Amino acid sequence: CGGYVDASKKNDMPSEKDYIVIASESTSNIDKALTNGIEEVKMPSETDSILNENDARVVKLNKTEVANLRQENVLVEEDINISATSSKLLSSKSIDNDFSVLGIRQEKNEDITSKMSVALIDSGVDMDSNYQVRHRVNFLNDASEITYLDDESGHGTSIANVMTEINPNIIIESLKVLDESNYGKLSSIVSALYWCIDHKIKIVNMSFSTKTNSKVLHKAIKDAHDAGLLMIAATGNDGNDSMVEYPAAYPEVIAVGGVDWKGKISEIS
C-alpha cells in the first residue's frame, strides 16, 4: 500500500497510546501487519493468552502507525476505559423491597433446583460470600495471591447478590475486568467475552457501559452471539434523556434499565 511512513522514526512521531488491534478477514495474521518498530504492551496472562488465540494484540501506537495499520484493513481502536453502570450496592433487604414494588416477589424462583451457569463480567465476587462461584478469572492483573477480598469495589458482589436472590441455584463464572474504581479496559472485556465463548457459557451479565460505539467490542459481541451466548447489559446511568450506551445498544444484546420505588423509570436509567 502507498502512503506509508517509516515506523522506526519514533523521534519524529507524536505521542503513543495503547491500542487493541485485531486481524480482519482480509488480514491473515496480525503479526505480519505489525512492524518491528511497534511495541507490544505487557498484559495480564489471561488477557494476553486469549487475545493471542483470537489474533489480537495490545500495542503502543502513534497516529501515523494507526493510519498505516488501517490501510492494511486491521481493526485498530484505542484501549479505552469502560466503567460500571452503578455505584449503589444492594443488600438482600433492598432487593426484597424492590421486588415488592414491582409486584413480582411471588415470581421469585425459590423452587428451582436445576443449576444455571451465568458469567458475571464485573469487578469480581468476594470469596467470603455464600455464592456458588465455579471460576474466578482475573483479566486485570497477575495477582499471585488469592484473597478473600476478590472484589475491591463491591460492585460485582452486589450484582451477584441480585442474581442469586432471583435464582439461588445460579453458578457464577466470575470474570474480573473492573478495578477498585469500577473502571476496566476494553481489552479485558473483549478477552472475557472470548473466554465465555471458549468455555461455552450461555448467559452473560455486563453491568458496565460506554458511550463509545466500539467496533472491537461489537466484533466480540457478534462473535459471542454467533456462538449462542445470551448477553444482558445495563443501559447506562445518565438519565431518561440519554441514549442507550454500549454494549446494551448493540442489537445482539438485551438492554436492561432501572425503575424507582414507584415502578417508574429511574432518573439515572
Side-chain angles (χ1 to χ4, degrees), residues 193 202 204 206 221 224-225 229-233 252-254:
L193 284 166
K202 295 302 181 185
V204 179
M206 299 176 287
I221 290 289
H225 179 265
L229 275 69
L230 174 66
M231 291 167 286
I232 303 161
E252 298 85 3
V253 178
I254 296 174

Side-chain angles (χ1 to χ4, degrees), residues 95-96 99-100 102-110 165:
I95 292 171
D96 287 344
F99 276 135
S100 62
L102 295 176
I104 59 172
R105 184 61 186 174
Q106 66 273 22
E107 302 295 337
K108 182 180 175 183
N109 298 320
E110 295 174 332
E165 276 291 313

Side-chain angles (χ1 to χ4, degrees), residues 30 47 50 54 93 101 104 131 139 153 171 252:
I30 196 68
T47 300
I50 292 176
N54 291 278
K93 183 177 180 180
V101 165
I104 59 172
Y131 314 125
F139 293 96
S153 74
I171 298 174
E252 298 85 3

Side-chain angles (χ1 to χ4, degrees), residues 134-149:
R134 178 159 49 193
H135 291 102
R136 295 178 184 271
V137 187
N138 188 345
F139 293 96
L140 282 179
N141 53 59
D142 290 320
S144 57
E145 296 183 3
I146 297 177
T147 66
Y148 284 102
L149 188 63

Side-chain angles (χ1 to χ4, degrees), residues 106-263:
Q106 66 273 22
E107 302 295 337
K108 182 180 175 183
N109 298 320
E110 295 174 332
D111 298 326
I112 292 179
T113 58
S114 60
K115 302 293 184 180
M116 175 186 296
S117 178
V118 178
L120 178 57
I121 304 180
D122 213 284
S123 60
V125 177
D126 281 345
M127 294 189 69
D128 62 353
S129 63
N130 295 321
Y131 314 125
Q132 301 179 69
V133 180
R134 178 159 49 193
H135 291 102
R136 295 178 184 271
V137 187
N138 188 345
F139 293 96
L140 282 179
N141 53 59
D142 290 320
S144 57
E145 296 183 3
I146 297 177
T147 66
Y148 284 102
L149 188 63
D150 182 54
D151 179 11
E152 290 88 350
S153 74
H155 187 270
T157 304
S158 176
I159 301 300
N161 187 33
V162 173
M163 294 194 306
T164 54
E165 276 291 313
I166 296 171
N167 183 352
N169 294 295
I170 282 179
I171 298 174
I172 297 172
E173 312 287 352
S174 177
L175 309 183
K176 186 173 182 177
V177 300
L178 303 179
D179 61 18
E180 66 277 2
S181 300
N182 284 329
Y183 283 94
K185 288 292 187 180
L186 171 64
S187 54
S188 298
I189 292 168
V190 167
S191 299
L193 284 166
Y194 282 112
W195 185 96
C196 292
I197 295 173
D198 292 343
H199 288 77
K200 300 184 182 346
I201 304 299
K202 295 302 181 185
I203 304 175
V204 179
N205 183 87
M206 299 176 287
S207 296
F208 51 79
S209 68
T210 176
K211 291 180 171 62
T212 301
N213 183 1
S214 164
K215 292 181 179 179
V216 168
L217 178 58
H218 197 193
K219 181 182 184 305
I221 290 289
K222 287 190 286 188
D223 289 344
H225 179 265
D226 291 344
L229 275 69
L230 174 66
M231 291 167 286
I232 303 161
T235 56
N237 275 357
D238 286 343
N240 296 334
D241 296 329
S242 64
M243 61 178 283
V244 175
E245 297 183 9
Y246 302 96
Y250 295 128
E252 298 85 3
V253 178
I254 296 174
V256 177
V259 296
D260 61 19
W261 64 275
K262 294 181 179 179

Side-chain angles (χ1 to χ4, degrees), residues 32-92:
K32 292 180 180 179
L34 299 178
T35 67
N36 292 331
I38 292 177
E39 177 187 353
E40 190 167 342
V41 177
K42 181 176 175 53
M43 303 299 292
S45 58
E46 288 287 351
T47 300
D48 186 66
S49 174
I50 292 176
L51 288 179
N52 274 276
E53 288 174 5
N54 291 278
D55 215 10
R57 305 284 187 277
V58 178
V59 295
K60 289 189 175 296
L61 300 173
N62 56 51
K63 292 181 179 179
T64 303
E65 291 165 334
V66 169
N68 287 344
L69 285 172
R70 285 175 177 164
Q71 286 185 23
E72 290 290 336
N73 294 320
V74 175
L75 186 55
V76 184
E77 282 189 354
E78 186 177 343
D79 194 14
I80 60 172
N81 279 320
I82 296 178
S83 63
T85 50
S86 175
S87 58
K88 179 183 177 182
L89 304 184
L90 298 176
S91 65
S92 295

